[in-house]
Amino acid sequence: MARESFDKEIQFLRMLALTSGAYSRQQYAEKLGISVHTFDKMMKRLREIAASSLNGRDGAAEQRDMAELLRFSYLDSSDPLLLFLFRAKSLKESESERLSILLGAMKEGAKTAMELLDACSEAMPPELALPDEKTIRGDLKYLEGVGVITREPGPRPYRYALWDRFAGLLAEDELLDVHDYACMMANTQLPSVQGYLLRDMMSKLLTRDRGFDAENLDVFRYKYHYYSRILDEAHLFPLFEAIEGRCYVSFRYFSPKKETSYSSRNTNPLFEREAGGNRERVLPLKIVYDHQYGRWYLLGWGARHGIKKYRLEGVTDLSVGDAADADSWNEKLGLLEQRIRHSWLVDTGRKTLVRARFYKPGPSIPDFVRERVLQQGQWGVITEEDEISFLYEIEVNGIIEIKPWLRSFGSSCEVLEPARLREEMIAEWKELREYYESL
């Protein structure tokens, strides 16, 4: 039997969002490195998640095409399929069932760990394994850590109770403020999945307990995010914890240049085969987000390659390992900081001086071009300025990463140096001009 993980769904949804369902079942299966049968099982599971997640809001979700459910719309301030996929897959079925039983038991009053073990053993479905005391205590520690329950003061055995006073502490207008704030931050800031979960919880609280109309809660009609950014957040928090604990991580990496982006792990020795991708063991040092393309990057140190960068979209089968000593971690971090000191983002190429002339919008018009350059231009400086333009200079590692930023200014920016960058920009604008020639 092949043990599949959350990575498979992530990679498929990314391809689906980028291709709008243009591939056949066979092509998707080949790119994922799985069989068509496994692909069909995954599609069935995703449709079930979509149908249960959108129950009451979109009764025909199960019959709709999966690409249509993922279609990007600026008038939609949420991504329900992606959001609820995280919630459905972030916990194993047995964990989800067990936590629900524990929380339900504590609604009746404070209970000890052994009382909760008995309640869980009685209520667990017969097809799922029964938990032991160690498992229950681990669940209680997790629930206490995330603020869902509280341990009451007193002698052993400790008693645990629900911490559900949040709704009671806030008035209706305060609850609405929290909901609107969570919605705004989830749609505009990084990271976002946790904000979607909070917003969804607040929406249920307001509609179920306070009687608000669900349609009146959805007041925001803007967003600034990419599907890949949200999907990559599956690995974000484990990496944050690994960086905080100075721990090595191990993962299988699929380069963006490879045709496949995932490979199943066969545990049956009769059908064992070499998995795709490269196995990496890395000491993570920094996480960087590229807002131009909606990509997360992991920067770390490995014994084979030294300082290296990885796009999170190619990371699968992630696990956290042993910790490095503080001196070694600080040494590697210092080496990284030195390498990326002149990086526009994460480029570690040769240092290059970039000079560009920016043209102002015109007399009596607020100089939004200069304001944007000062705000986004990082450590670059304005060296000359007159009434119609100003000269901007910056030293960066390579020219690839700064190019989209310069290009985004359109005719308000003229690249002067280096010559190679100027020639590339001229060639790109000529290509664009050909696209827009009259027919």
Side-chain angles (χ1 to χ4, degrees), residues 297-321:
Y297 288 90
L298 165 65
L299 280 68
W301 181 89
R304 286 189 301 168
H305 305 292
I307 297 296
K308 192 174 179 181
K309 52 183 180 284
Y310 305 87
R311 276 167 46 177
L312 284 195
E313 65 190 70
V315 172
T316 66
D317 193 17
L318 177 70
S319 61
V320 180

Side-chain angles (χ1 to χ4, degrees), residues 138-152:
D139 291 339
L140 292 174
K141 182 178 180 182
Y142 163 72
L143 292 172
E144 187 179 8
V146 297
V148 176
I149 66 173
T150 182
R151 187 172 66 183
E152 294 187 339

Side-chain angles (χ1 to χ4, degrees), residues 283-286 299-301 307 326-342:
L283 184 62
L285 301 170
K286 190 181 287 287
L299 280 68
W301 181 89
I307 297 296
D327 291 339
S328 176
W329 194 86
N330 289 328
E331 177 188 351
K332 305 298 188 300
L333 181 61
L335 178 61
L336 172 66
E337 296 288 0
Q338 183 65 28
R339 289 280 296 277
I340 65 172
R341 190 160 59 95
H342 291 93

Side-chain angles (χ1 to χ4, degrees), residues 98 117 120-121 124 129-133 135-136 139:
R98 199 169 60 242
L117 175 61
C120 202
S121 299
M124 282 291 279
L130 294 177
D132 55 18
E133 182 183 352
T135 301
I136 294 298
D139 291 339

Side-chain angles (χ1 to χ4, degrees), residues 190 224-226 229 287-297 345-346:
L190 302 170
Y224 178 68
H225 57 219
Y226 299 87
R229 180 192 109 186
I287 301 290
V288 177
Y289 177 68
D290 177 6
H291 76 92
Q292 295 277 359
Y293 293 106
R295 294 171 182 158
W296 290 101
Y297 288 90
L345 187 67
V346 294

Side-chain angles (χ1 to χ4, degrees), residues 41 64 74 98 167 186 288 417:
K41 286 170 57 180
R64 287 166 60 192
Y74 280 101
R98 199 169 60 242
V288 177
E417 294 181 21

Side-chain angles (χ1 to χ4, degrees), residues 23-38:
Y23 293 152
S24 66
R25 293 162 55 242
Q26 182 68 41
Q27 288 172 318
Y28 277 124
E30 289 177 356
K31 288 185 173 294
L32 287 170
I34 60 177
S35 68
V36 176
H37 176 67
T38 303

Side-chain angles (χ1 to χ4, degrees), residues 160-211:
Y160 297 87
L162 283 178
W163 196 93
D164 56 355
R165 299 186 295 273
F166 177 71
L169 291 173
L170 300 179
E172 286 187 356
D173 57 339
E174 292 173 322
L175 282 174
L176 283 171
D177 286 344
V178 174
H179 173 273
D180 291 347
Y181 178 77
C183 185
M184 181 190 72
M185 297 299 284
N187 283 316
T188 60
Q189 301 299 312
L190 302 170
S192 58
V193 169
Q194 301 290 351
Y196 286 131
L197 294 171
L198 174 61
R199 185 201 61 188
D200 185 62
M201 182 271 289
M202 296 296 301
S203 297
K204 289 181 177 179
L205 179 64
L206 287 165
T207 54
R208 182 188 58 206
D209 299 342
R210 300 298 178 96

